[in-house]
Amino acid sequence: MDLSTASTALRLLADPTRVRLLALLDREELTVAELAAVLHLAQPRVSTHLAKLKEAELVRDRRAGVSAYYRANAEADPTLAALVASLRDTLSDALLREDAERLPTVLAQRARAEGWADTVAGDMERHYSPGRTWETLARSLLQLLTTGDVLDIASGDGVTAELLAPHAHSIVCIDSSERVVEAARQRLSGFANVDVRTGDMHALDLGDRRFDLVLLLHALTYSTDPQKVFAEVARVLKPGGRVLASTLGEHDHRAVVEPFDHRNLGFTCDALAAMATNAGLQVVSCERLSRERRAPHFEVISLLARKPSTEDAP
């Protein structure tokens, strides 16, 4: 950001009404009328401020019938977004707290007038409703699965194993951090079919145990030699067993990921597929799963591969 752009941004954010609007729109998608009701301001004044924020690409809008819904722009310039976030995160003000306290009443009025589902149609995944969370969806869908013997590599504090344990014959969790492993043991202590161990994904010390499913969920970004990881996975898979890997797509945001101890800058689907193939695995699919709305817009890619079995022989 050059000096001229920075000065323009600072002048934009010097108005307290615009800061109040950004704070609300970071929480919820709202119409001009709703914003006016929360802020206790006239609608034309709110519209004027929104126009300036939209021109600066700090907010975006979408049409739903005759209404326009505004929200914070998750794809704003990263430097400008960081400036806004820094301001928002350091503010402690009674006026902002009062705005936040009035917001639920305005949202309740909207729901009574239109019906909640109608107001978020086409954008439903971004909005909360009681009991409707990604966790409950995952737990519901997992009841459809039977996973057999599972190896969860770079398992963290055991959140994935906790979801899978009721539907698996056994789960072995491997992580390199003693502290993280201890947290996982505490979380998973109620499951007799889960074994949590400290270990290195590049040299799996599992004796003669073999697995129906190996998970590499955001493990590979912590690898200094991902090809060796795939070789180890292929070794411990049962014939016909599968590996599911998800990881960041290739990027150039080293400074962003360094605080998270990443050892590389992600992968392409072609690179993942090549490593799986080189390890003797058959690639079933490799595709992009998602792209984050917030800058720097990290992508997540996923690979599913299987170990050939004797039934695959011609």
Side-chain angles (χ1 to χ4, degrees), residues 229-243:
V229 175
F230 274 102
E232 285 292 276
V233 167
R235 181 177 65 82
V236 300
L237 273 174
K238 297 178 183 178
R242 298 172 297 165
V243 55

Side-chain angles (χ1 to χ4, degrees), residues 274-289:
M275 286 187 286
T277 300
N278 290 341
L281 302 172
Q282 297 174 339
V283 175
V284 176
S285 64
C286 191
E287 59 187 354
R288 187 182 79 168
L289 290 183

Side-chain angles (χ1 to χ4, degrees), residues 45-60:
R45 184 176 174 189
V46 171
S47 295
T48 299
H49 287 299
L50 285 174
K52 293 183 180 297
L53 292 172
K54 186 178 177 182
E55 183 181 359
E57 298 185 345
L58 284 172
V59 303
R60 58 190 303 181

